[in-house]
Amino acid sequence: MHLEQFHAKVLLGDREGIEALTHQAVSEGLDVSEVINAGLIPAMQEVGRLYEQGDKFIPEMLMSARAMQASMAILEPHIVGDTVKTAGAVVLGTVEGDLHDIGKTLVGVMLEGAGFEVHDLGTDVSPEEFVNSVRDLRPAVVGMSALLTTTMPAMGRTIEALKESGVRDDLVILVGGAPVTADFASSIGADGFAEDAPGAARRAQELLGLR
């Protein structure tokens, strides 16, 4: 079995195919860390590159993301110790009052593809939930998404809550979503802004000095 097969299944978004391939890899004793680090992660990075070039679109990215996640779900029980590289932990969520999920989900997958350990809090996440998760998980990065102009102010309230809790200085804070701009990100005290999912992963790496 060759890692190129995992790469191809992710690019095609072939969820059923990659599940069968992953079960086969586990049964044959293939190195789980090698599958993830040399198979799945480079494949999602390639998906991001193709999206930025205009050669893939959001539905195709979602298919690839689901394929990668399906494979990871099978592999995770077989991960031993620190054999899988990690760029750091990320707490991710769509802010309070906003129920949009697709963009945030894609960001999470692209961050996983960049080697981050992602903790997705879901949608309609309150400032208090972000604070509690940061205290519990000690992430390097907090990512916030909003798709509505009416929910954008919740990003600022969340940053203020992180400051008041005394954990803001230890974090890189990234924001994004259709109505969010670099100027808005700067005005609320975020460290960075990204226009799309591949850009979010790249920006997180840049701000942490990993690129």
Side-chain angles (χ1 to χ4, degrees), residues 4 14-15 44 59-62 68-69 71 110 126-127 139 141 148 164 171 174 180 183-185 199:
E4 288 82 358
D14 183 358
R15 179 170 181 164
M44 277 311 301
E60 294 169 301
M61 284 186 69
L62 278 171
M68 176 182 173
Q69 289 173 328
S71 182
M110 293 310 301
S126 69
V141 179
L148 305 172
E164 290 171 7
L171 300 170
L174 288 176
V180 180
D183 286 343
F184 175 77

Side-chain angles (χ1 to χ4, degrees), residues 89-93 117-121 137 139:
V90 179
V91 164
L92 188 66
E117 176 190 337
V118 177
H119 301 272
D120 189 339
L121 305 182
L137 299 168

Side-chain angles (χ1 to χ4, degrees), residues 44-65:
M44 277 311 301
Q45 290 171 335
E46 177 71 1
V47 169
R49 186 184 68 80
L50 291 170
Y51 171 79
E52 290 183 313
Q53 289 182 181
D55 294 326
K56 277 192 179 292
F57 302 95
I58 286 178
E60 294 169 301
M61 284 186 69
L62 278 171
M63 289 174 64
S64 291

